[in-house]
Amino acid sequence: MTSRVKKILSIVIISVIVLITALTVILAIVPKRLYNPVTEGYYRVAVYKDGKDAGGYNLTGDMTDKEKDFKKKLARYLDESFKDNCLSSLFQGTGRYESKVISKNEENIVSNIAKASGAVVLRFEYSEAQKLIFNGKEYKNSQASDPTKTITFTRIYMPLSNDGDFQERIVYLTSGTSTTSSYQIKFLAHQGDLYNYISSLENDSL
């Protein structure tokens, strides 16, 4: 092999390495957002810690400084729990995951989910019925007695877990004061920071 061929081969190898490195950096930077099942517009958030009702925050109107701080931090940590990047989606498989709506009656949500020992749960409350928007369109249950009716809800129960990587999670949708959830959503999130923030809250400050 001549020195000229070696030189050309070296240049090609270096170019390939630089290209792969650049592509890796770009994929790690380019953001990718995962599906967030929590609809905007909730006016109050209740907190359950270690299976006990720890109170809640009103997030509209004249809010106290604590309520304003909670609203700001909750929005930040909740948003971050759905942030991913293209590189992660390739190697962790988040890009292949499909969120799904489950039609199943889960009774006594408060007792079985929110008040389970050791549980940390958020309950998002809405003043008006919210349409379930899934995959960019109103969700209708084709198996329901009225398959043309859009599914609605006024509360979302979100159990939190202390995980740093993406794990499958679930939320429970209810309407009014009903404790039965007829629809649940499974999705991916990494909730470690959100979990730690909610766990750090003092109960008497809620």
Side-chain angles (χ1 to χ4, degrees):
M1 184 180 294
T2 66
S3 60
R4 179 178 176 80
V5 173
K6 289 181 179 179
K7 185 177 181 180
I8 294 175
L9 185 59
S10 297
I11 292 174
V12 171
I13 293 174
I14 292 174
S15 298
V16 171
I17 293 174
V18 171
L19 180 62
I20 292 175
T21 301
L23 182 60
T24 300
V25 172
I26 291 173
L27 290 176
I29 294 175
V30 175
K32 176 181 176 62
R33 299 202 57 79
L34 300 182
Y35 172 74
N36 180 356
V38 179
T39 304
E40 294 184 358
Y42 48 86
Y43 77 96
R44 186 174 186 274
V45 174
V47 178
Y48 294 85
K49 291 168 56 179
D50 194 23
K52 299 178 181 178
D53 187 344
Y57 287 90
N58 293 315
L59 304 180
T60 59
D62 294 328
M63 293 181 287
T64 65
D65 289 340
K66 289 180 179 179
E67 288 171 333
K68 292 177 181 177
D69 184 63
F70 176 82
K71 182 177 182 178
K72 179 180 179 180
K73 290 181 178 177
L74 173 65
R76 185 181 81 194
Y77 288 122
L78 183 63
D79 180 68
E80 289 178 353
S81 69
F82 298 102
K83 284 184 178 179
D84 195 11
N85 59 64
C86 291
L87 185 64
S88 172
S89 68
L90 287 174
F91 288 96
Q92 293 192 42
T94 58
R96 297 189 298 272
Y97 180 86
E98 293 186 9
S99 299
K100 45 188 169 288
V101 177
I102 300 172
S103 175
K104 178 183 178 183
N105 282 339
E106 294 281 357
E107 299 181 354
N108 301 319
I109 293 300
V110 176
S111 298
N112 296 338
I113 305 300
K115 291 188 176 180
S117 178
V120 176
V121 179
L122 294 175
R123 185 181 74 210
F124 299 87
E125 301 179 10
Y126 301 84
S127 57
E128 297 180 353
Q130 303 293 303
K131 294 180 179 180
L132 175 53
I133 306 297
F134 190 72
N135 290 333
K137 58 184 179 181
E138 296 180 8
Y139 183 83
K140 298 176 174 61
N141 183 2
S142 60
Q143 305 300 317
S145 56
D146 183 0
T148 65
K149 182 179 179 181
T150 299
I151 305 304
T152 61
F153 59 90
T154 58
R155 291 182 175 183
I156 298 177
Y157 288 84
M158 174 182 276
L160 303 179
S161 64
N162 187 14
D163 46 60
D165 57 352
F166 285 99
Q167 299 289 335
E168 184 176 71
R169 309 301 306 158
I170 187 169
V171 292
Y172 301 83
L173 311 181
T174 65
S175 295
T177 58
S178 173
T179 61
T180 297
S181 170
S182 298
Y183 295 91
Q184 303 87 44
I185 304 175
K186 287 189 176 182
F187 59 97
L188 280 185
H190 54 94
Q191 298 179 329
D193 290 341
L194 177 60
Y195 176 94
N196 291 334
Y197 169 62
I198 298 301
S199 296
S200 71
L201 295 173
E202 295 294 334
N203 290 2
D204 59 3
S205 70
L206 299 181

